[in-house]
Each structure stands twice: as C-alpha cells, then as structure tokens.
Amino acid sequence: MSLRAMSEGALLEVRDLHAWYGESHILHGVDFEVRRGEVVTLLGRNGAGKTTTLKSVMGMVPRRRGSVRFDGQQLIMLPSNRIARLGLAFCPEERGIFASLNVEENLLLPPVVRAGGLGGDAIFDLFPNLRERLRSQGTKLSGGEQQMLAIGRILRTGARLLLLDEPTEGLAPVIVQQIGVTIRRLKAEDFTILLVEQNFRFAATMADRHYVMERGRVVDMIPNDELASSMGRLHDYLGV
C-alpha cells in the first residue's frame, strides 16, 4: 500500500515529530501512522524514545515540534486536556493508581470526555477481578489487577484511541494472556490502539503492524504477516 493511501486512512498521523526534556533532544523526526481500528506497536530498546512518543502525542511533553494529526485535527499546539477531549487516552507504564482510593473510586476518577465510553458492567465483563475487588484500596491490588484497573479507567472516558505503555511489564504469564485477550476484544469493538511493548512475541498475537524505533527515530515498519520472515533484522534492532 502506498504512503499516500495509508495517510488517507490514518486516524493518527505523526510527521517529523521532535521532543525535548529540558535541553535533551529525545525525538529526532518521528514518522508513523495508525489507521482506524488497528493495533500498532512501537518496538525498540530501552531509551529509544517509545514512551516519549506516546507522551508527545498526548501533549504531555512541554517542548515538541512537528505534526501530530488525530482524525485530521492538528494536536501539536494543544494542551493534554484538550487532546483527551478529542478522544485519546494514555495508560502509563507506572499505571497511576491512587493508593488511597478503592477500585471503584479509581475507576470513577477520570471524567467522561466523549460519548461511547464503557460502563461499569462492560469493564467488569472484561476484567472480572475488578468487580470482586471493588472496595479494595489501590495498595491491596496485585500488579495485574492494577494494570486491569488502569486500562478499565481509560475505557470509561469515551476515548477511541488508546495509548498503552508496556501493559504487560512485570506481569505473570496468565495475566499477560488476559491482557492480550482484552486488547483483541477492544480491537474487535473498533478501538484503535498504539502499544509500546518490549515483548514482541506478545505483540505479534494482536498487532497489525510494528514500528521499530532507534535513537528517537522510526527506522523500520514490519507488517505483522511479515514478522516471521523479519526476525533476523528484528533481533538486530532489539538485541535479543
């Protein structure tokens, strides 16, 4: 498919994106796109700029330059609260669960920004553990339960583009499998997902395409159906 054809179908289109933390220049002209209904991963070694890319899309990096278009609208000059109201949501690696609040309070904390968010029953259908722990404080949840809560919380908001940062990091295999099932179900319900993931074997079970990042740039794009034949260069990129 041509780049022009891909761009015309893109829900998220990032072009020549640069970002800085203070004087440190982290992103050096990132280019990629995500089409409506896709699951797309950002792969790369630690420090490649993957998380900074998600935060830059979401407007959470103070200094950025370039073009970030969501559903045709330019985001680069908008603050993160305005971006969220357009239908984007970010689930950070550290999950951001409030320890002093119980599961229900954590779920209800973010405001609904658009129609179409999942209600409590739909979230509990995805994550039955959360219904059982509804009155448990954040400090009492396992890592897997915290991750379920973090994802469930953004599903309430009405966002249709989900930015997930390392959702399987440090989780037991059975929980990783459950997160995978959830992402596939969300894809089937027309959510669009941009996923930062170190575990490319996990990502391969659900993703449509994989972008590879090195030193603040996208250096390759591998369609999922070409992943098996591309393992040599992927191993070179990731050092695994």
Side-chain angles (χ1 to χ4, degrees):
M1 180 178 290
S2 70
L3 183 60
R4 178 176 177 81
M6 288 178 65
S7 297
E8 287 175 350
L11 179 64
L12 177 70
E13 185 178 358
V14 176
R15 295 285 177 257
D16 195 30
L17 179 61
H18 294 252
W20 291 259
Y21 291 122
E23 297 301 313
S24 298
H25 192 177
I26 307 300
L27 301 184
H28 300 268
V30 170
D31 291 279
F32 70 93
E33 55 200 10
V34 184
R35 295 190 289 269
R36 196 178 306 273
E38 277 192 315
V39 174
V40 169
T41 62
L42 297 179
L43 303 174
R45 302 187 193 201
N46 289 335
K50 305 182 300 295
T51 295
T52 300
T53 298
L54 295 189
K55 290 183 174 180
S56 296
V57 168
M58 201 67 205
M60 298 170 65
V61 175
R63 184 182 171 198
R64 58 194 180 132
R65 185 185 77 214
S67 176
V68 179
R69 289 188 176 275
F70 174 69
D71 207 12
Q73 181 164 346
Q74 182 60 252
L75 307 183
I76 201 69
M77 298 302 293
L78 297 181
S80 56
N81 64 319
R82 290 276 306 279
I83 292 171
R85 291 186 180 280
L86 294 174
L88 295 84
F90 175 55
C91 185
E93 181 183 358
E94 61 273 15
R95 298 161 187 154
I97 302 304
F98 288 86
S100 61
L101 303 181
N102 65 30
V103 166
E104 183 177 31
E105 291 165 337
N106 268 285
L107 273 177
L108 296 177
L109 194 63
V112 173
V113 297
R114 290 171 64 89
L118 299 189
D121 287 342
I123 292 171
F124 297 142
D125 184 46
L126 286 172
F127 302 120
N129 304 49
L130 296 184
R131 188 191 299 273
E132 298 168 8
R133 304 300 302 275
L134 202 58
R135 303 302 176 197
S136 299
Q137 287 189 307
T139 50
K140 303 294 178 63
L141 302 180
S142 68
E145 289 167 339
Q146 289 186 28
Q147 186 62 70
M148 295 172 195
L149 178 55
I151 295 174
R153 188 169 56 185
I154 63 173
L155 294 175
R156 278 192 64 255
T157 66
R160 302 306 295 179
L161 174 60
L162 310 180
L163 311 178
L164 307 183
D165 192 6
E166 299 279 12
T168 68
E169 177 70 21
L171 301 184
V174 65
I175 303 299
V176 171
Q177 185 177 23
Q178 188 172 354
I179 298 296
V181 169
T182 298
I183 292 175
R184 285 189 288 274
R185 284 185 60 180
L186 294 174
K187 183 179 191 297
E189 294 178 21
D190 294 326
F191 284 89
T192 304
I193 298 171
L194 178 59
L195 175 71
V196 165
E197 183 55 64
Q198 291 281 11
N199 183 351
F200 65 86
R201 290 181 179 85
F202 166 79
T205 66
M206 69 200 67
D208 297 283
R209 294 181 295 118
H210 310 271
Y211 287 99
V212 182
M213 294 192 68
E214 279 189 347
R215 299 177 181 177
R217 293 181 174 89
V218 170
V219 296
D220 207 346
M221 189 279 287
I222 304 173
N224 200 54
D225 59 5
E226 297 177 13
L227 193 61
S229 62
S230 305
M231 291 304 293
R233 75 178 195 264
L234 192 58
H235 278 265
D236 289 341
Y237 288 133
L238 302 180
V240 296

